[in-house]
Amino acid sequence: MIAGGFGVGKTTLVRSLSEVPPLSTEQEMTSLSQGVDDASVVPDKTTTTVAMDFGRLTVDEKLVLYLFGTPGQSRFWFMWDELARGAVGAVVLVDLRRVDDCFAAIDYFENRGVPFVVALNGFPGTAGFDDETVRDALALPPGAPLVRMDARDDGSCEATLVTLVEHALARSA
């Protein structure tokens, strides 16, 4: 699963990783979302995911990963339980300009015992925070991996997914 707040890069991450054209439920944002969805730090955002994004990544002939990107707004969180069934793990995407938006996802996976990695998506003005400061701000549990990545970069996305799979395998051992 790929989770996180509104406009943090979940759809972009699924697009970067998927070997097939991803299924996307992106819809145009309307005036009804004004005052509900805070697009102030992502002013060019014109669409939003209303159900999920879906992609596929074949690791080898025995391992295929299915990627499910969650909607970011709380009014769509009812979808998460269905998407989380059978999940190997989750990437919680974080925009350090809006840290509060990631707490719900971290809590969700912690409470369900789903292995997760926190991925700091590189947005302008967020590189100045060191990892220990971020860990403290997010109150991350010991052993929760923290990575820096760019959802637009395939290699960065793959490295994040490798970290997640390694973490999930280590927890299951």
Side-chain angles (χ1 to χ4, degrees), residues 92 102-103 105-111 113-118 131-132 134-146 167 171:
V92 176
C102 74
F103 288 118
I106 291 171
D107 288 345
Y108 181 89
F109 297 115
E110 276 184 334
N111 291 334
V114 174
F116 65 94
V117 58
V118 173
D131 288 358
E132 207 50 46
V134 173
R135 282 186 162 289
D136 289 344
L138 299 178
L140 289 181
L146 176 70
H167 178 59
R171 283 203 33 195

Side-chain angles (χ1 to χ4, degrees), residues 32-130:
L32 294 174
S33 70
Q34 291 175 346
V36 177
D37 299 327
D38 180 10
S40 61
V41 290
V42 284
D44 297 331
K45 186 168 180 58
T46 59
T47 62
T48 189
T49 301
V50 297
M52 69 173 171
D53 296 309
F54 173 78
R56 185 186 73 206
L57 179 63
T58 301
V59 176
D60 61 31
E61 62 278 347
K62 294 182 182 179
L63 181 61
V64 176
L65 298 176
Y66 296 100
L67 310 167
F68 293 93
T70 66
Q73 301 95 320
S74 60
R75 65 185 176 274
F76 298 123
W77 285 349
F78 66 91
M79 294 287 304
W80 287 31
D81 286 336
E82 293 302 319
L83 296 176
R85 251 188 214 121
V88 169
V91 173
V92 176
L93 271 180
V94 178
D95 177 350
L96 288 176
R97 301 171 299 178
R98 300 173 289 149
V99 172
D100 288 350
D101 292 351
C102 74
F103 288 118
I106 291 171
D107 288 345
Y108 181 89
F109 297 115
E110 276 184 334
N111 291 334
R112 286 159 181 80
V114 174
F116 65 94
V117 58
V118 173
L120 308 177
N121 196 5
F123 286 97
T126 62
F129 299 99
D130 64 78

